[in-house]
Amino acid sequence: MKQTALITGATSGIGRATAHEFAKHGINLILCGRRQERLETIQKALERHTNVHILNFDVRDKTAVFKTIQNNLPEAFKTIDILINNAGNAHGLDPIQDGNIDDWDAMLDINVKGLLYVSKAIIPQMTKRGSGHIINIGSSAGKEVYPKGNVYCASKHAVLAITDGMRIDLNPYGIKVTAINPGLVETEFSKVRFKGDAVADNVYKGYKALQPEDIAEIIQFAISRPAHVNIADLLVFPTAQANSVTVKKDV
Ligand code: NDP
Ligand code: 8X3
């Protein structure tokens, strides 16, 4: 039986790479994001390999999340075996005293509350069936706090706490819950964090950062373990990175 995965943040970076990886393995895909044109382009590219349905919603919009997931899924996509909670970003990199309140709202609303809304919309069918796999994309920023990381780090610490909480509460239902926590991955992440500022161009320079495909392969590995194996919590860095502030760069 073909499995079905719902991936949030599938229009870019880790989410898009995961969609490609899953398509290679014939997994049915529900791809979510806000950029409709990108969703359609990715759908077209992947439909050669598997069945693809696209859903356009902002994870911050509680009503849209529930309405879209409950009402806009064709019969063939209604049973979701794998949920990849990936949508998220950092917004800004400022000391707490200079932080922008809109950035704080965005990070907490998207990275934390958005993940909760999407999970809440999907968990009931998993508990009912007594099966499912939820993968939350955390970050090394959820394991440690770095200078000016304050609220982004808080949002990713929250993702890890929620992941642990889900694993405990969903344990009676046989549902796997996994946190994948990457260090520096070369995506649009820095463009979003620095709002297109030129500083974003330097984040991945002078060393080989993780590529989104590296994370996608790890996610594929996690979802393809035998039924009795759950990867609970995985931290992955580029070789050049030892922690959030230690990165060996060519000068
Ligand atoms: P990208 O910026 O490339 O991708 C972010 C994705 O999230 C996009 O598809 C975007 O889609 C989606 N998204 C953002 N805001 C919303 C929203 N309000 N509603 C719905 N979707 C949204 O970044 P990454 O691929 O790097 O990031 C993916 C995840 O990985 C994030 O949770 C990030 O925190 C985490 N991560 C990233 C690391 C990195 O170094 N890059 C390291 C560790 C973790 P759209 O704009 O179309 O809605
Ligand atoms: C993304 C990695 O170091 O920019 O979560 O916080 S970092």
Side-chain angles (χ1 to χ4, degrees):
M1 248 281 275
K2 271 186 126 186
Q3 289 185 301
T4 297
L6 183 145
I7 305 174
T8 66
T11 56
S12 172
I14 295 169
R16 181 170 54 193
T18 304
H20 280 264
E21 183 66 28
F22 281 5
K24 278 197 250 166
H25 291 85
I27 295 170
N28 290 329
L29 295 171
I30 303 163
L31 305 180
C32 311
R34 294 166 300 176
R35 285 171 284 182
Q36 181 67 18
E37 221 180 284
R38 284 199 185 196
L39 286 172
E40 287 170 11
T41 306
I42 299 165
Q43 179 180 36
K44 253 190 214 132
L46 298 186
E47 264 175 349
R48 277 177 276 140
H49 307 289
T50 190
N51 304 310
V52 184
H53 188 73
I54 55 176
L55 294 179
N56 186 330
F57 59 86
D58 186 324
V59 295
R60 282 174 291 195
D61 184 341
K62 203 188 313 185
T63 312
V65 169
F66 287 100
K67 260 199 186 158
T68 312
I69 293 175
Q70 279 158 10
N71 304 334
N72 294 6
L73 282 177
E75 205 51 45
F77 291 89
K78 273 196 190 323
T79 303
I80 297 165
D81 304 288
I82 301 158
L83 165 60
I84 311 291
N85 276 317
N86 163 75
N89 277 114
H91 294 263
L93 182 71
D94 302 298
I96 196 80
Q97 62 276 21
D98 298 333
N100 177 308
I101 289 181
D102 291 337
D103 285 344
W104 295 352
D105 282 342
M107 290 185 278
L108 295 172
D109 289 348
I110 299 168
N111 303 358
V112 183
K113 289 165 71 183
L115 178 149
L116 285 169
Y117 299 156
V118 174
S119 302
K120 178 88 175 154
I122 293 170
I123 285 172
Q125 57 157 281
M126 291 186 170
T127 52
K128 201 167 160 196
R129 287 197 311 272
S131 71
H133 195 160
I134 300 171
I135 297 196
N136 294 330
I137 305 303
S139 168
S140 52
K143 302 266 180 193
E144 57 182 343
V145 178
Y146 54 83
K148 303 181 188 173
N150 45 65
V151 178
Y152 178 65
C153 295
S155 76
K156 290 300 183 176
H157 276 68
V159 169
L160 282 198
I162 291 165
T163 306
D164 288 346
M166 283 180 172
R167 196 179 310 108
I168 295 163
D169 296 341
L170 299 176
N171 173 271
Y173 301 94
I175 296 169
K176 296 188 189 189
V177 183
T178 298
I180 308 280
N181 306 292
L184 291 153
V185 189
E186 189 171 357
T187 63
E188 291 173 12
F189 180 86
S190 287
K191 285 198 174 67
V192 175
R193 172 168 240 176
F194 298 109
K195 302 173 175 66
D197 193 282
V199 70
D201 299 335
N202 290 325
V203 174
Y204 309 113
K205 281 206 179 129
Y207 69 103
K208 178 74 178 172
L210 290 168
Q211 300 301 300
E213 292 75 18
D214 297 321
I215 309 305
E217 285 178 8
I218 290 169
I219 294 171
Q220 171 60 33
F221 179 78
I223 61 132
S224 57
R225 292 311 83 211
H228 68 288
V229 179
N230 178 41
I231 297 185
D233 191 321
L234 187 146
L235 175 65
V236 52
F237 284 123
T239 305
Q241 183 178 18
N243 62 26
S244 294
V245 292
T246 310
V247 183
K248 182 175 176 288
K249 294 192 181 187
D250 304 333
V251 272

